[in-house]
Amino acid sequence: MRTAPMIHRIAVLASLVALLRGLGGDALAADVRSIDSGCTRVTFDPASGMLRVEAAGRIFAAARFAEPGRAAATIERLDGANPFGRGWMMKIAPGDNRVILCEKTFGQDSTPWVFIRRDGRAASASAGHRVEALRATLDLGVDAAKLKVLGPGGLFDPGNNPGQHVVTAVADPATGSGVVAGLVHIDAASGVVLTKVEDGKVVLTLRNDYGSVVPPELEPLGGDWWALGRFADARDGLESYANEFARLSHIKLKPVPVGFMTWYSEKYGGALNETAVIELSKYLAATFKDYGYGFVQIDDLWQNGLKRDGPARDFNKVDPKGPYQGGMKPVADQIRALGLTPGLWMLPFATDYKDPALAAQTPLIVRTPSGSPFETNWTGTALDLTRPEARKYVQGFIRQAVHDWGYTYLKLDGLHIGMATRQTYPERRYVEDRFGDAVFADKTKSNMQAGRMGLKAVREAAGPDTFILGCCTPQNERSLGMVMGLVDAMRVGADSGVDWRGVVEGVRSSAALYFLNGRVWWNDPDAIYARATIPLNEVQCFAGWVALTGMLNNQTDWAPDYPPERVDLLRRTMPTHQLITIRPVDLFENDPPRIWVLKYRAGGVDRTVVGLFNWSDSPCDIGASARQLGLRPDATYAGFEFWSNRAVASFQSRLQQRLPPRSSQILAVRETADHPILLGTSRHVTQGAVDLEEETWDASQKTLTGAGRVVRGDPYELRILSPPPNAPRK
């Protein structure tokens, strides 16, 4: 543990650095400031205004943080009584700019993260109150032409990256090493990450877009904080970023459920109706509840109001001529009596100033600079959530739906309108959207603050036990940061539309944010289609991927029409395993990745499941080395493929398989032994993660024993590998 003398060492070190480098072209002034966490070092030179970040003895990021000769820096020791933890903080003036290094997070002796806050009040801002938090030249020891950029918008070359929101990794696909940067604490800014290439190096820009205003108040450790770090494996960095965000936001996720949403049902699609939804719920409860089924969510078309350029927007009552004329409460009561959770879709932050049913809300709307109502296509007119009475109005119908009607699973759509931003759906990447062209009643609040105030009001009204699924913020990326830390799950894919290309887009969107799943929220890539008209290989491919990755699993078919084999297939994807030990192997090579590895411990044994996915329309060979799969390269491995119900050829240094178009293989992989071992079970595609409790080999008795959780009446197979008869035994 470092103590107070460390501060003295820092000051002395700064003078030594200046002396040793004084003869070089990159001379540092004697008053250079430096802080060191043990694995990361930050140096600021007031004379040049340069901020440098170093890891493993190499400067990997250099940025002009202040005007040369016009800045001053001081260093403070941080005790544990602050959001970041023990460490060191550098204050850089003019303005209240801060840089923090921490000693420990998540059990590590030190953290590679540099936390940076730019004081937007003192910075020069462009239209829309855009403030550069950092513009750094990166040095990864690799030419920029060989690097890739990954963010919520997808995988790009750094020179052709249109921009990302909130978080981005710049990585070398050959080694996986790279730099990760992300807005790790969100207050008032919409975070934008931009890259370009200059002189063979990537220039990374972290930008705070405040939109309507830079808030005049800034708490000592409040505001918008960026995290920047260098990682030998950029996937470690992305996962660590999500962990840090969750830590700073005090996120404690609810378990992710399995269930049904009505929108794409072949029969009675949209919201179903009060008779059909009960018929469906009875079937789902009888067929799937024992396997982990949890909710039935009613989608758009139940509510009252004028349908003008999008949905009706009066969520206080049902459409008197619609599918639920008897009201929503009787339906919820019947669904709950079946042991399932009732769910309801809403567009909470929108109104329609032309709808007579919503005339009372017209004084509560956001205006444009010309004074006209702020509205955008499909979503509608923006409620001004800086107004307490607007938040109270939203809380009214939320409380009614949850506490009076009984819907404790909410799907909240069109959340971007809470920030008064324009519809950019289905774009996932940064686009110019005239951000900030809105006038709020409270002139001290930014767009981001308005939106987050609204969501906090929803959470308060819904209560802590309500599961909240947001919808499609990555397709209106301004709202991606708005919802982080305030919802339990997020539809990260656009509407897939019962189409394979749409399904793959959902995979692509989810894969780019895989590291948020189970840490910040649960990803929802959109529903599984298992109806008989969808080819079996496509159902296996997508449903298997959802189950393996542990994302939100919901269906949208008229389930009573399922053929028996589709029923059994879906049962093998339930329940969700709740693990976060799943990651893609080829994240920086393929979009979407084709190789996923789940690691888990069950029955006292470390287990590996490898998912191979061919998302294309042509056959292809998919494989990875044992090292890439997290396996010892000098061992021999056996595998059992779930869908085909067969063993695959043993392998050593590399696993390679040929897959038909739109198909998958999910393999339980285990190192061979000199005694019988359990490869997996038939209960679930993870082949043990949700059911195995014990596995023991007794060498003296030559007996393999174990225990597992089974579903009454469900056939249960054990896949046991025995060594060859003549193999040496211990």
Side-chain angles (χ1 to χ4, degrees):
M1 179 182 294
R2 294 181 176 84
T3 56
M6 182 62 185
I7 299 175
H8 177 68
R9 187 186 72 81
I10 291 169
V12 173
L13 176 62
S15 298
L16 288 173
V17 169
L19 176 64
L20 292 172
R21 296 187 181 180
L23 299 178
D26 188 24
L28 297 178
D31 61 349
V32 66
R33 296 290 183 264
S34 178
I35 52 178
D36 193 329
S37 69
C39 67
T40 304
R41 179 169 172 260
V42 176
T43 302
F44 178 68
D45 178 12
S48 65
M50 292 298 294
L51 186 79
R52 294 176 173 86
V53 187
E54 178 181 323
R58 182 189 183 97
I59 295 173
F60 70 85
R64 188 172 300 283
F65 201 74
E67 291 296 320
R70 297 185 179 181
T74 58
I75 294 172
E76 292 183 10
R77 185 77 164 95
L78 293 177
D79 60 21
N82 72 86
F84 294 93
R86 294 175 60 86
W88 296 269
M89 178 168 65
M90 184 186 298
K91 295 182 179 180
I92 301 175
D96 194 4
N97 305 299
R98 304 192 176 201
V99 178
I100 288 178
L101 290 180
C102 293
E103 280 183 317
K104 291 186 177 182
T105 58
F106 292 99
Q108 303 176 70
D109 289 336
S110 61
T111 172
W113 290 114
V114 181
F115 300 106
I116 300 169
R117 184 186 78 180
R118 175 71 76 172
D119 184 353
R121 302 168 302 176
S124 59
S126 58
H129 296 98
R130 297 175 176 178
V131 174
E132 282 190 0
L134 190 75
R135 179 180 291 192
T137 299
L138 304 183
D139 186 356
L140 276 66
V142 178
D143 189 273
K146 297 181 180 179
L147 299 174
K148 290 290 184 180
V149 173
L150 178 78
L155 189 66
F156 295 91
D157 295 325
N160 296 316
N161 172 26
Q164 312 280 345
H165 285 265
V166 182
V167 59
T168 289
V170 181
D172 177 7
T175 64
S177 65
V179 169
V180 177
L183 197 55
V184 75
H185 184 269
I186 298 171
D187 172 37
S190 170
V192 179
V193 187
L194 304 166
T195 60
K196 63 179 180 178
V197 176
E198 292 181 352
D199 300 325
K201 293 182 179 179
V202 175
V203 177
L204 177 75
T205 298
L206 311 180
R207 198 177 78 196
N208 293 340
D209 288 5
Y210 293 97
S212 56
V213 68
V214 177
E217 301 296 328
L218 186 61
E219 296 293 327
L221 288 175
D224 299 280
W225 287 83
W226 290 89
L228 178 73
R230 176 82 161 88
F231 296 86
D233 187 333
R235 296 174 303 174
D236 291 338
L238 290 167
E239 292 163 13
S240 177
Y241 160 78
N243 287 334
E244 291 292 338
F245 191 99
R247 178 176 73 94
L248 293 172
S249 300
H250 309 289
I251 295 173
K252 293 183 179 179
L253 289 182
K254 300 176 180 65
V256 60
V258 178
F260 183 89
M261 74 100 167
T262 63
W263 185 248
Y264 284 114
S265 175
E266 313 97 297
K267 295 180 179 179
Y268 320 107
L272 298 188
N273 60 55
E274 53 198 356
T275 301
V277 76
I278 301 305
E279 178 187 349
L280 177 81
S281 297
K282 288 178 178 178
Y283 175 87
L284 294 172
T287 308
F288 295 123
K289 191 175 69 172
D290 289 347
Y291 294 82
Y293 218 74
F295 68 87
V296 174
Q297 177 250 309
I298 298 168
D299 222 278
D300 180 19
L301 300 179
W302 65 269
Q303 71 279 17
N304 185 48
L306 179 68
K307 296 180 180 65
R308 184 180 71 88
D309 187 21
R313 301 176 182 95
D314 179 7
F315 299 100
N316 293 284
K317 56 179 74 74
V318 299
D319 180 353
K321 298 181 180 179
Y324 291 90
Q325 297 176 32
M328 302 308 295
K329 180 176 174 15
V331 171
D333 290 344
Q334 292 179 77
I335 294 173
R336 192 172 298 281
L338 294 167
L340 302 174
T341 298
L344 197 61
W345 175 95
M346 291 182 175
L347 188 68
F349 301 139
T351 185
D352 184 349
Y353 76 101
K354 291 187 177 181
D355 187 345
L358 297 169
Q361 278 65 61
T362 300
L364 307 181
I365 66 175
V366 179
R367 300 283 175 172
T368 67
S370 67
S372 61
F374 186 98
E375 60 178 342
T376 187
N377 63 298
W378 190 82
T379 320
T381 312
L383 286 167
D384 187 344
L385 299 174
T386 70
R387 293 179 179 270
E389 57 269 41
R391 299 195 298 274
K392 184 178 179 181
Y393 163 70
V394 173
Q395 287 185 315
F397 60 73
I398 293 291
R399 284 196 181 98
Q400 175 178 260
V402 175
H403 302 293
D404 296 343
W405 294 349
Y407 292 87
T408 52
Y409 178 104
L410 298 179
K411 179 180 177 181
L412 305 182
D413 208 343
L415 295 174
H416 70 96
I417 200 66
M419 297 176 66
T421 59
R422 284 173 173 76
Q423 173 85 278
T424 59
Y425 179 92
E427 289 286 353
R428 292 165 50 211
R429 55 192 182 178
Y430 173 77
V431 295
E432 290 292 345
D433 57 356
R434 293 181 286 164
F435 185 61
D437 184 16
V439 179
F440 295 101
D442 187 341
K443 302 297 191 297
T444 69
K445 301 299 183 186
S446 72
N447 298 64
M448 179 64 70
Q449 287 175 319
R452 288 181 73 82
M453 288 168 69
L455 260 182
K456 289 174 183 177
V458 166
R459 174 59 78 185
E460 178 186 342
D465 297 329
T466 299
F467 191 95
I468 296 181
L469 166 68
C471 192
C472 286
T473 58
Q475 280 70 38
N476 279 286
E477 273 205 87
R478 289 289 184 191
S479 55
L480 179 62
M482 167 192 160
V483 298
M484 289 175 65
L486 299 176
V487 298
D488 301 298
M490 174 53 59
R491 250 283 301 283
V492 293
D495 292 342
S496 53
V498 203
D499 177 80
W500 178 253
R501 291 169 297 179
V503 166
V504 175
E505 279 302 308
V507 173
R508 186 172 285 116
S509 300
S510 303
L513 293 172
Y514 87 91
F515 50 93
L516 299 184
N517 189 60
R519 295 180 173 90
V520 172
W521 60 39
W522 299 101
N523 285 350
D524 173 11
D526 209 5
I528 294 170
Y529 306 108
R531 61 195 64 172
T533 56
I534 305 294
L536 182 62
N537 56 292
E538 294 182 12
V539 182
Q540 290 175 335
C541 190
F542 182 58
W545 179 83
V546 170
L548 180 66
T549 58
M551 298 190 185
L552 182 69
N553 179 345
N554 66 135
Q555 300 84 49
T556 187
D557 310 297
W558 181 252
D561 288 348
Y562 280 147
E565 73 272 10
R566 305 301 170 101
V567 170
D568 187 67
L569 186 157
L570 290 174
R571 285 172 170 172
R572 305 307 147 203
T573 72
M574 306 171 189
T576 305
H577 55 61
Q578 313 293 329
L579 302 171
I580 59 172
T581 51
I582 177 78
R583 54 169 33 175
V585 170
D586 52 334
L587 181 65
F588 301 107
E589 301 170 68
N590 293 306
D591 187 11
R594 303 186 299 185
I595 307 170
W596 294 76
V597 179
L598 174 66
K599 298 280 188 179
Y600 67 93
R601 187 170 181 82
V605 176
D606 291 325
R607 301 180 185 276
T608 300
V609 182
V610 179
L612 307 177
F613 300 91
N614 180 5
W615 306 111
S616 75
D617 294 333
S618 303
C620 68
D621 294 313
I622 302 177
S625 68
R627 192 180 302 278
Q628 288 175 304
L629 300 176
L631 305 173
R632 292 195 306 121
D634 57 347
T636 300
Y637 295 91
F640 194 92
E641 202 286 306
F642 188 81
W643 297 126
S644 61
N645 199 33
R646 64 178 178 84
V648 298
S650 62
F651 67 96
Q652 292 181 317
S653 60
R654 185 173 180 82
L655 171 66
Q656 186 89 16
Q657 297 288 306
R658 185 162 184 81
L659 273 69
R662 304 184 181 186
S663 70
S664 66
Q665 292 186 9
I666 300 179
L667 303 108
V669 173
R670 191 164 171 191
E671 188 173 332
T672 58
D674 62 353
H675 59 80
I677 56 174
L678 178 64
L679 280 177
T681 75
S682 62
R683 167 65 186 88
H684 193 269
V685 296
T686 58
Q687 303 181 67
V690 305
D691 57 297
L692 275 181
E693 293 183 337
E694 181 184 343
E695 178 189 350
T696 304
W697 169 251
D698 186 334
S700 63
Q701 298 295 318
K702 294 184 173 55
T703 303
L704 181 69
T705 60
R709 293 182 297 275
V710 299
V711 178
R712 184 188 301 272
D714 186 47
Y716 191 69
E717 294 180 5
L718 304 177
R719 285 73 187 261
I720 296 173
L721 177 71
S722 295
N726 298 324
R729 296 179 181 243
K730 296 180 182 178

